[in-house]
């Protein structure tokens, strides 16, 4: 496992930190130093909100090395509300419940681990937005087991 | 020779500068294992169950990821820049690494690095409230404007053991800050600690051991009552003064019984009593009980919280809700919203999620 490679990508993976073009204001993820819209150089950081929609998806049954323990899992193309389309694992959802257009939000989760001795690698995944319920009076009163 | 008064009287911990909770956030994973599933597998469905169900972390969750989500909720409620946080402290007995801090993963994820302290705390189930108390000192001394204290656990339950019914997952994060910016002012704290071997986990062992009935009277009840009564005595309060009381909750019976022993009514305890629905969240248990209370608390409410950590000790706190609470309650998901996000699993799925299957 390349510890240094994972460490270098930490900021973008943990908190969805990309870039913004200082010329045309295009939001860029992953950060690449050059605006894909106007080709101007940029190094301005931009933290994405983490909100987006599922653009497309596919369920993985035969997983690559390091991910076998989580299969079957669904990979989504997520359109962030700021524009970029990124690839990420979907989590906290049953594979047969994923739909195009589903509202999702970024969470930081464990991506993989290097055997039982190596580092744990964390990064972004997306899950259905935690729905907001209005509190009901009975929420405060649990029947004791 | 008589001891000086300051050595015999409870010393209430209160920093020189008043401090409080600027923001808070809870987290509970999505999966639930009904206690009847544990009973079905190990007892042929006979006998009672201590709770209804417990929360179980997914395959990609651990104390670090859960702490990150709770911490983000706390920062959102406080509405401060994470770069103003000068300490990120995580209390847990299930840190993902034996050596390498959980706190740096959390600090990096919420954008608090590099000008911050980071440390992991350990004292069984009261590691989170210890970090909370230390944060009071750090902010109260003026060394920091804000400090983050987190209590979070993915508790270990040995298959077939009595604790497997209750060993749950969840917790809460608290951003401690100046009182004038707080949704709840911390009016005082008291700690009560002795060397009592009621529950432990030796190095490199996957599951804890416990002293069965020894965990009750000489451990839980002695320390929770010792801390709570000393605090109330020093603060000049009685149980009826508090709108809500939260006691560490290893099961549903202990907190109700300890409350009753001291004169608290069931309706003061129920809002913060989450163990029947999410299990014992260990270092997170008292703190997530408090977050459920803060979600519904009203300005002026007086709140009491007493944790318990095996080994053993209790930290007790008195908090007064301010008028800043109402706006901040709605800024992030409430504790009950996480509890309602519920997907039931069976024992087989639980063994997979918790890594109990030997693969090679």
């Amino acid at each position: 496992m390349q510890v240094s490679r994972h460490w270098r990508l930490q900021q973008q993976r943990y908190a969805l930190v990309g870039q913004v073009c200082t010329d045309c204001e295009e939001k860029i993820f992953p950060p690449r130093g050059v605006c894909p819209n106007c080709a101007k150089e940029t190094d301005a950081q931009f933290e994405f909100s983490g909100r987006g929609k599922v653009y497309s998806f596919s369920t993985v049954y035969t997983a690559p090395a390091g991910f076998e323990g989580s299969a079957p899992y669904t990979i989504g193309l997520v359109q962030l509300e700021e524009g970029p389309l990124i690839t990420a694992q979907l989590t906290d959802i049953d594979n047969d419940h994923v739909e195009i257009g589903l509202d999702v939000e970024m969470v930081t989760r464990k991506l993989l681990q290097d055997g039982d001795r190596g580092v744990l690698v964390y990064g972004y995944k997306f899950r259905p937005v935690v729905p907001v319920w209005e509190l009901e009076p009975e929420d405060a009163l649990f029947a004791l087991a | 020779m008589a001891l000086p008064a300051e050595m015999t009287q409870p010393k209430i911990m209160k920093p020189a500068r008043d401090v409080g909770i600027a923001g808070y956030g809870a987290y509970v994973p999505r999966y639930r294992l009904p206690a009847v599933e544990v009973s079905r597998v190990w007892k042929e469905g006979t006998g009672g169950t201590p709770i209804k169900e417990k929360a179980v972390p997914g395959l990609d969750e651990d104390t670090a990821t859960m702490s990150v989500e709770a911490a983000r909720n706390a920062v959102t409620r406080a509405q401060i820049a994470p770069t103003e946080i000068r300490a990120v402290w995580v209390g847990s007995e299930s840190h993902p690494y034996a050596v390498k801090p959980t706190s740096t993963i959390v600090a990096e994820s919420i954008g608090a690095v590099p000008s911050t302290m980071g440390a992991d705390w350990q004292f069984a189930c009261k590691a989170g409230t210890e970090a909370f108390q230390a944060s009071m000192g750090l902010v109260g001394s003026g060394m920091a404007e804000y400090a983050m204290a987190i209590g979070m656990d993915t508790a270990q339950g040995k298959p077939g053991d009595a604790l497997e019914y209750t060993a749950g997952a969840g917790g809460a994060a608290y951003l401690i800050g100046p009182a004038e910016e707080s949704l709840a002012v911390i009016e005082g704290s008291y700690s009560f600690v002795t060397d009592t071997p009621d529950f432990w986990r030796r190095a490199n062992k996957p599951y804890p051991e416990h002293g069965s009935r020894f965990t009750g009277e000489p451990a839980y009840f002695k320390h929770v009552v010792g801390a709570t009564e000393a605090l109330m005595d020093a603060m000049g309060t009685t149980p009826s003064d508090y709108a809500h009381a939260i006691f560490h909750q290893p099961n549903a019976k202990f907190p109700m019984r300890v409350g009753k022993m001291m004169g608290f009514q069931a309706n003061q305890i129920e809002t913060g009593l989450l163990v029947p629905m999410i299990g014992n969240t260990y270092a997170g248990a008292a703190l997530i009980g408090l977050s459920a209370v803060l979600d519904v608390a009203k300005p002026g409410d007086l709140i009491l919280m007493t944790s318990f950590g095996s080994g053993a000790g209790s930290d007790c706190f008195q908090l007064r809700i301010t008028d800043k609470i109402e706006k901040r309650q709605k800024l992030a998901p409430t504790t009950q919203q996480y509890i309602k996000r519920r997907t039931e699993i069976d024992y087989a799925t639980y063994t997979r999620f918790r890594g109990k299957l030997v693969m090679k």
Side-chain angles (χ1 to χ4, degrees):
Chain A
M1 162 118 13
Q2 295 170 300
V3 172
S4 56
R5 184 174 138 248
H6 291 300
W7 171 76
R8 220 169 277 125
L9 296 173
Q10 227 161 242
Q11 203 176 24
Q12 54 174 282
R13 277 188 180 162
Y14 283 10
L16 224 52
V17 176
Q19 290 173 328
V20 58
C21 177
T22 47
D23 205 57
C24 74
E25 297 190 357
E26 176 90 354
K27 311 297 187 296
I28 307 161
F29 194 90
R32 67 198 73 172
V34 176
C35 175
N37 184 45
C38 70
K40 295 268 169 50
E41 287 189 16
T42 183
D43 59 0
Q45 280 196 349
F46 179 81
E47 188 171 335
F48 285 82
S49 67
R51 296 266 178 161
K53 284 182 189 295
V54 172
Y55 180 83
S56 188
F57 64 93
S58 182
T59 300
V60 176
Y61 291 89
T62 307
F67 296 90
E68 303 94 329
S70 356
Y73 57 86
T74 297
I75 290 285
L77 274 175
V78 173
Q79 181 102 55
L80 299 175
E81 65 181 10
E82 297 90 348
L85 193 62
I86 69 171
T87 309
Q89 194 173 323
L90 304 181
T91 189
D92 285 0
I93 186 165
D94 297 337
N95 292 319
D96 57 359
H97 280 68
V98 182
E99 290 176 357
I100 289 172
L102 180 74
D103 288 319
V104 290
E105 61 188 355
M106 188 274 280
V107 287
T108 306
R109 293 290 172 89
K110 204 157 62 177
L111 297 182
L112 69 159
Q113 59 184 49
D114 180 14
D116 58 4
R117 301 177 74 89
V119 293
L120 304 171
V121 180
Y122 298 91
Y124 56 80
K125 294 188 181 183
F126 287 81
R127 68 151 182 230
V129 174
V130 171
V132 175
W133 285 277
E134 282 301 312
L135 283 172
E136 293 156 12
E138 63 267 26
D139 288 342
L141 300 168
F142 295 121
L144 295 181
Chain B
M1 191 178 82
L3 289 169
E6 63 269 23
M7 294 181 70
T8 57
Q9 297 299 312
K11 174 82 175 144
I12 291 301
M13 289 184 274
K14 193 174 184 311
R17 173 168 81 149
D18 287 340
V19 300
I21 297 169
Y24 69 95
Y27 183 71
V28 181
R30 172 194 182 208
Y31 301 101
R32 301 286 178 277
L33 178 68
V36 291
E37 268 294 283
V38 181
S39 170
R40 177 181 69 82
V41 171
W42 293 103
K43 304 280 183 195
E44 292 189 333
T46 60
T49 54
I51 60 170
K52 180 172 177 279
E53 58 190 11
K54 67 174 184 176
V56 178
L59 282 166
D60 58 2
E61 295 188 282
D62 60 21
T63 292
T65 67
M66 292 161 56
S67 296
V68 168
E69 181 150 351
R72 283 185 176 139
N73 287 337
V75 172
T76 301
R77 282 204 173 91
Q79 296 194 291
I80 63 151
T83 47
E84 294 182 68
I85 301 170
R86 290 288 169 272
V88 177
W89 287 335
V90 184
S92 181
E93 55 183 88
S94 47
H95 290 291
Y97 287 93
V99 177
K100 184 188 178 304
T102 306
S103 55
T104 54
I105 301 168
V106 178
E108 185 89 40
S109 298
I110 65 171
V113 295
S115 299
T116 185
M117 287 192 270
D120 293 359
W121 294 67
Q122 194 265 97
F123 192 142
C125 296
K126 86 170 186 78
T129 55
E130 263 193 286
F132 190 100
Q133 232 168 21
S135 297
M136 288 169 59
L138 196 73
V139 176
S141 68
M143 282 176 68
E145 278 299 283
Y146 300 100
M148 177 78 79
I150 301 171
M152 192 67 68
D153 253 310
T154 58
Q156 309 90 9
K158 193 193 290 179
D161 185 78
L163 295 185
E164 194 180 30
Y165 291 95
T166 54
Y174 289 85
L175 199 55
I176 306 300
E180 56 274 17
E181 295 176 28
S182 294
L183 53 87
V185 173
I186 307 165
E187 296 187 333
S189 176
Y190 180 71
S191 277
F192 183 100
V193 168
T194 68
D195 181 6
T196 307
D198 58 317
F199 169 102
W200 60 90
R201 179 161 66 85
R202 294 273 300 275
N204 303 317
K205 298 295 177 196
Y207 299 116
E209 302 294 324
H210 58 86
S212 296
R213 294 176 67 183
F214 188 66
T215 59
E217 294 302 335
Y220 180 89
F221 291 98
K222 172 182 167 180
H223 294 82
V224 171
V225 171
T228 308
E229 290 195 335
L231 181 122
M232 287 196 296
D233 185 46
M235 302 299 286
T237 54
T238 61
S240 61
D241 293 332
Y242 297 95
H244 302 278
I246 303 109
F247 301 109
H248 175 60
Q249 34 202 279
N251 51 45
K253 280 184 190 164
F254 277 23
M256 291 303 279
R257 194 173 131 206
V258 82
K260 200 174 168 189
M261 282 164 62
M262 291 185 286
F264 289 88
Q265 304 298 313
N267 63 6
Q268 293 170 284
I269 298 171
E270 280 164 345
T271 304
L273 188 65
L274 307 181
V275 65
M277 313 310 283
I278 62 171
N280 178 5
T281 54
Y282 287 55
L287 291 176
I288 197 169
L290 177 60
S291 74
V293 164
L294 293 178
D295 287 336
V296 298
K298 301 270 185 280
D301 281 355
L302 198 61
I303 313 285
L304 180 110
M305 170 176 71
T306 309
S307 65
F308 171 73
S310 291
S314 282
D315 303 326
C316 185
F317 303 85
Q318 178 173 309
L319 302 104
R320 175 87 61 181
I321 304 295
T322 75
D323 57 9
K324 291 192 170 56
I325 194 153
E326 284 166 336
K327 277 186 185 166
R328 296 190 204 175
Q329 282 167 334
K330 305 295 178 197
L331 293 178
T334 63
T335 313
Q336 288 295 343
Q337 283 165 353
Y338 280 111
I339 293 173
K340 285 190 173 183
R341 190 186 66 128
R342 171 187 178 279
T343 300
E344 192 172 311
I345 56 172
D346 61 11
Y347 194 89
T349 306
Y350 165 72
T351 58
R352 183 187 175 194
F353 282 3
R354 299 299 287 136
K356 293 176 192 291
L357 299 171
V358 179
M359 306 293 280
K360 56 186 172 183

